[in-house]
Amino acid sequence: MTDLFVAAGGPVGDGTRARPFHDPWLALRQAAPGDRIHIAAGTYTGRGERSSWVVDTPELTLLGGYSPDFARRTPWQTPTVFAAKTGLRVPNEPNMLQGIGGHDGLVLDGLFFDGAGRDDYDEQGGLQRASYGDGPLVSLRGERITVRDCCFANGSSGAVELGGDSVVFENNIVVNCVGLSLLTVRDGAPETPAAVSRNTFAFAHDDSDPPRGSGADRAVGVRVNGAAAIADNVFVGCGNAAVACLRDVGQIAIDRNLFFATPRDIVRSRVPGAEAELTEEYAAELEDVGLRSAAGNTVGDPQLTGLPAAWLDTYTADVAVTYEPADRRPQRAAGIGRPR
């Protein structure tokens, strides 16, 4: 096992602590199975500033949030940012970080992925054009993939897609994205379900034509297409559903989650024979959906801090004007199990 080091803004290095690489793509190119890549705080834009990184080696660990001398590691105070370069005049890669070939056992820890540079904004910060056709910010598929203590923001086609057995997504923040979902987990087997725990999923935007929030398969917090345990998470402002189930609900556990300001459904099932649409008002009926487990879920204000007031006011106004009010559509809570 080799420890490789990366620090922004430095001269060309050899990946040692004394002479670190200047961008993670160099470390990823050199890494061998089992290596650890330590990345100092700073902003990185990839090879040729293409804002794209590829993982094709198994058993790698990427650790961010170090001080420039690697003496301290405080990811939430000194972030390592994988950024999309603003105004890039060449086609974007589908993902900012993509796993190809064998990348089983990958660990991402303490990294910040920001896709804002892929989109166009007006002078007030409003979204003018999203990079439609892109994929999620991060796309990985393999066994034993772990993503923890990371932040994902401003994705134009969702934030994270994880596929495979025994994947773990824990203690992350996923915020302010359009597209299918903030997180998609798929292909987990019943004996090795995906573990999604202690995350904050906030502000999944519905970018379809108004009225928004009318049930389209977009703007979902967590989209589940396989066995999964979803526990101890906070869901805020997920446009069409906080959790959407697409496969056997008997393989999905949804426990001890907090839901707030959900314009439409806290949980939705599209599984034939077990269809359900549950709003916050009907949260007590979640146990009737047929999930493997549905205990301790609540609806309430999580008292999030640090959000700019102007941004939050704009978001709230948009939801009030363009999202379909609950009283204009039928409640499906009483129709659990009925054909759509």
Side-chain angles (χ1 to χ4, degrees):
M1 180 185 73
T2 300
D3 288 292
L4 302 172
F5 295 86
V6 179
V12 175
D14 58 8
T16 61
R17 183 168 178 164
R19 300 182 63 236
F21 293 129
H22 70 272
D23 193 276
W25 77 264
L26 291 160
L28 289 168
R29 182 179 67 175
Q30 181 170 309
D35 286 354
R36 296 188 301 181
I37 301 174
H38 307 267
I39 312 172
T43 299
Y44 302 90
T45 55
R47 184 176 187 179
E49 299 189 315
R50 293 290 296 271
S51 306
S52 176
W53 296 264
V54 172
V55 179
D56 59 1
T57 305
E59 311 301 333
L60 289 185
T61 298
L62 276 67
L63 300 167
Y66 287 95
S67 60
D69 60 358
F70 300 97
R72 294 177 294 106
R73 182 169 181 260
T74 55
W76 296 109
Q77 287 74 44
T78 53
T80 294
V81 183
F82 286 58
K85 180 177 174 56
T86 302
L88 188 66
R89 298 307 177 196
V90 296
N92 288 321
E93 298 295 331
N95 316 104
M96 293 184 70
L97 181 71
Q98 179 184 21
I100 63 174
H103 53 282
D104 293 346
L106 174 67
V107 175
L108 303 182
D109 190 328
L111 308 176
F112 182 4
F113 294 86
D114 185 1
R118 291 186 162 207
D119 306 320
D120 294 331
Y121 300 86
D122 60 28
E123 294 180 356
Q124 289 73 43
L127 181 65
Q128 287 185 314
R129 184 190 67 84
S131 299
Y132 298 107
D134 288 346
L137 299 178
V138 172
S139 179
L140 304 167
R141 183 171 185 174
E143 297 183 359
R144 297 174 290 101
I145 290 174
T146 298
V147 180
R148 67 166 68 97
D149 296 331
C150 292
C151 184
F152 306 87
N154 306 312
S156 58
S157 292
V160 183
E161 181 181 59
L162 299 177
D165 293 330
S166 301
V167 302
V168 174
F169 192 83
E170 62 183 8
N171 203 39
N172 302 290
I173 297 175
V174 192
V175 61
N176 195 37
C177 298
V178 299
L180 284 179
S181 63
L182 299 178
L183 170 67
T184 294
V185 289
R186 53 190 174 86
D187 304 331
E191 60 273 16
T192 53
V196 179
S197 63
R198 303 190 304 279
N199 305 285
T200 297
F201 299 98
F203 309 116
H205 296 293
D206 189 345
D207 59 347
S208 57
D209 294 332
R212 299 170 188 162
S214 55
D217 190 20
R218 301 182 67 77
V220 173
V222 178
R223 197 167 183 262
V224 188
N225 196 354
I230 302 169
D232 303 301
N233 303 284
V234 173
F235 294 90
V236 178
C238 297
N240 279 310
V243 181
C245 306
L246 305 181
R247 267 171 60 179
D248 185 0
V249 293
Q251 297 179 6
I252 301 171
I254 302 177
D255 298 312
R256 302 181 306 279
N257 299 284
L258 176 64
F259 303 98
F260 181 66
T262 311
R264 187 174 172 98
D265 302 320
I266 58 171
V267 173
R268 170 192 302 160
S269 171
R270 297 300 196 206
V271 179
E275 296 90 345
E277 295 179 352
L278 291 179
T279 62
E280 291 180 350
E281 181 181 2
Y282 292 90
E285 298 187 21
L286 186 55
E287 295 181 356
D288 298 331
V289 174
L291 297 161
R292 180 164 62 87
S293 177
N297 297 288
T298 57
V299 175
D301 189 346
Q303 301 293 319
L304 298 181
T305 60
L307 294 171
W311 184 93
L312 190 58
D313 289 345
T314 301
Y315 170 83
T316 303
D318 177 71
V319 171
V321 171
T322 62
Y323 278 56
E324 182 180 2
D327 59 1
R328 295 183 187 174
R329 53 185 170 83
Q331 293 290 347
R332 295 305 301 261
I336 295 172
R338 296 178 184 173
R340 290 183 57 82

Short mmCIF file of all heavy atoms in Angstrom, two decimals, residues 17 68-69 72 79 94 106 127 144 168 177 190 238 270 281 314 328:
data_model
loop_
_atom_site.label_atom_id
_atom_site.label_comp_id
_atom_site.label_asym_id
_atom_site.label_seq_id
_atom_site.Cartn_x
_atom_site.Cartn_y
_atom_site.Cartn_z
N ARG A 17 4.67 13.26 0.07
CA ARG A 17 4.19 14.31 0.97
C ARG A 17 4.99 15.60 0.79
O ARG A 17 4.45 16.70 0.87
CB ARG A 17 4.28 13.82 2.41
CG ARG A 17 3.75 14.80 3.43
CD ARG A 17 3.59 14.14 4.78
NE ARG A 17 3.11 15.08 5.79
CZ ARG A 17 2.60 14.73 6.95
NH1 ARG A 17 2.48 13.44 7.25
NH2 ARG A 17 2.20 15.64 7.81
N PRO A 68 -2.54 22.24 4.05
CA PRO A 68 -1.53 22.15 2.98
C PRO A 68 -0.33 21.27 3.32
O PRO A 68 0.28 20.68 2.43
CB PRO A 68 -1.12 23.61 2.77
CG PRO A 68 -2.31 24.40 3.18
CD PRO A 68 -2.91 23.64 4.33
N ASP A 69 0.03 21.19 4.61
CA ASP A 69 1.17 20.37 4.99
C ASP A 69 0.76 18.96 5.43
O ASP A 69 1.60 18.18 5.90
CB ASP A 69 1.97 21.04 6.11
CG ASP A 69 1.13 21.28 7.37
OD1 ASP A 69 -0.08 20.94 7.35
OD2 ASP A 69 1.69 21.81 8.34
N ARG A 72 -3.06 18.23 9.51
CA ARG A 72 -4.40 18.16 10.09
C ARG A 72 -5.39 17.80 9.01
O ARG A 72 -5.19 18.08 7.83
CB ARG A 72 -4.79 19.50 10.72
CG ARG A 72 -3.96 19.91 11.92
CD ARG A 72 -4.38 21.29 12.43
NE ARG A 72 -4.09 22.32 11.45
CZ ARG A 72 -5.00 22.94 10.68
NH1 ARG A 72 -6.28 22.60 10.78
NH2 ARG A 72 -4.66 23.87 9.84
N PRO A 79 -12.41 22.40 3.03
CA PRO A 79 -12.90 21.45 2.03
C PRO A 79 -11.95 21.23 0.86
O PRO A 79 -11.26 22.14 0.40
CB PRO A 79 -14.21 22.09 1.56
CG PRO A 79 -14.02 23.55 1.80
CD PRO A 79 -13.20 23.64 3.05
N PRO A 94 -19.75 12.92 -19.02
CA PRO A 94 -21.05 12.64 -18.40
C PRO A 94 -21.05 12.83 -16.89
O PRO A 94 -22.05 13.23 -16.31
CB PRO A 94 -21.31 11.18 -18.77
CG PRO A 94 -20.51 10.94 -19.99
CD PRO A 94 -19.28 11.78 -19.83
N LEU A 106 -13.81 0.93 -3.39
CA LEU A 106 -13.47 2.35 -3.39
C LEU A 106 -14.06 3.05 -2.17
O LEU A 106 -15.22 2.82 -1.80
CB LEU A 106 -14.00 3.02 -4.67
CG LEU A 106 -13.85 4.53 -4.75
CD1 LEU A 106 -12.38 4.92 -4.84
CD2 LEU A 106 -14.61 5.08 -5.96
N LEU A 127 -31.04 29.98 -12.20
CA LEU A 127 -30.58 29.05 -13.22
C LEU A 127 -31.20 29.40 -14.57
O LEU A 127 -32.42 29.47 -14.71
CB LEU A 127 -30.97 27.63 -12.83
CG LEU A 127 -30.53 26.51 -13.78
CD1 LEU A 127 -29.01 26.40 -13.83
CD2 LEU A 127 -31.14 25.17 -13.36
N ARG A 144 -18.81 -3.09 -2.36
CA ARG A 144 -18.19 -2.50 -1.17
C ARG A 144 -17.73 -1.06 -1.40
O ARG A 144 -16.71 -0.63 -0.87
CB ARG A 144 -17.02 -3.35 -0.70
CG ARG A 144 -17.41 -4.76 -0.26
CD ARG A 144 -16.19 -5.62 0.05
NE ARG A 144 -15.45 -5.95 -1.15
CZ ARG A 144 -14.34 -5.36 -1.52
NH1 ARG A 144 -13.79 -4.40 -0.79
NH2 ARG A 144 -13.73 -5.73 -2.64
N VAL A 168 -22.19 1.71 0.73
CA VAL A 168 -22.47 2.50 1.93
C VAL A 168 -22.43 3.98 1.55
O VAL A 168 -21.46 4.45 0.93
CB VAL A 168 -21.45 2.23 3.04
CG1 VAL A 168 -21.68 3.16 4.23
CG2 VAL A 168 -21.52 0.77 3.48
N CYS A 177 -30.03 20.19 -6.40
CA CYS A 177 -29.82 19.54 -7.69
C CYS A 177 -31.15 19.41 -8.44
O CYS A 177 -32.21 19.35 -7.84
CB CYS A 177 -29.21 18.15 -7.52
SG CYS A 177 -27.58 18.14 -6.73
N PRO A 190 -30.63 -8.71 -1.59
CA PRO A 190 -31.23 -8.71 -0.24
C PRO A 190 -30.24 -9.01 0.87
O PRO A 190 -30.36 -8.48 1.97
CB PRO A 190 -32.30 -9.80 -0.35
CG PRO A 190 -32.64 -9.87 -1.81
CD PRO A 190 -31.35 -9.58 -2.53
N CYS A 238 -37.70 17.91 -1.14
CA CYS A 238 -37.53 17.02 -2.30
C CYS A 238 -38.78 17.12 -3.17
O CYS A 238 -39.87 16.71 -2.74
CB CYS A 238 -37.27 15.60 -1.84
SG CYS A 238 -35.72 15.42 -0.90
N ARG A 270 -43.52 2.62 -6.85
CA ARG A 270 -43.95 2.33 -8.21
C ARG A 270 -43.94 0.82 -8.49
O ARG A 270 -44.03 0.40 -9.62
CB ARG A 270 -43.03 3.02 -9.21
CG ARG A 270 -43.02 4.54 -9.14
CD ARG A 270 -44.37 5.13 -9.40
NE ARG A 270 -44.30 6.56 -9.70
CZ ARG A 270 -45.30 7.40 -9.47
NH1 ARG A 270 -46.42 6.97 -8.90
NH2 ARG A 270 -45.18 8.68 -9.80
N GLU A 281 -48.79 14.39 5.47
CA GLU A 281 -50.01 14.25 6.27
C GLU A 281 -50.31 12.81 6.61
O GLU A 281 -50.90 12.51 7.65
CB GLU A 281 -51.18 14.86 5.50
CG GLU A 281 -52.51 14.81 6.23
CD GLU A 281 -53.64 15.40 5.41
OE1 GLU A 281 -53.38 15.83 4.26
OE2 GLU A 281 -54.77 15.43 5.93
N THR A 314 -36.31 32.62 -2.29
CA THR A 314 -36.56 32.40 -3.71
C THR A 314 -37.05 30.98 -3.96
O THR A 314 -38.00 30.76 -4.73
CB THR A 314 -35.28 32.66 -4.52
OG1 THR A 314 -34.85 34.00 -4.31
CG2 THR A 314 -35.51 32.43 -6.00
N ARG A 328 -55.16 19.88 -5.02
CA ARG A 328 -55.59 19.78 -6.41
C ARG A 328 -55.35 18.39 -7.00
O ARG A 328 -55.52 18.17 -8.18
CB ARG A 328 -54.87 20.82 -7.28
CG ARG A 328 -55.23 22.25 -6.91
CD ARG A 328 -54.54 23.20 -7.86
NE ARG A 328 -54.73 24.58 -7.44
CZ ARG A 328 -54.13 25.62 -8.02
NH1 ARG A 328 -53.30 25.43 -9.05
NH2 ARG A 328 -54.32 26.84 -7.57
#
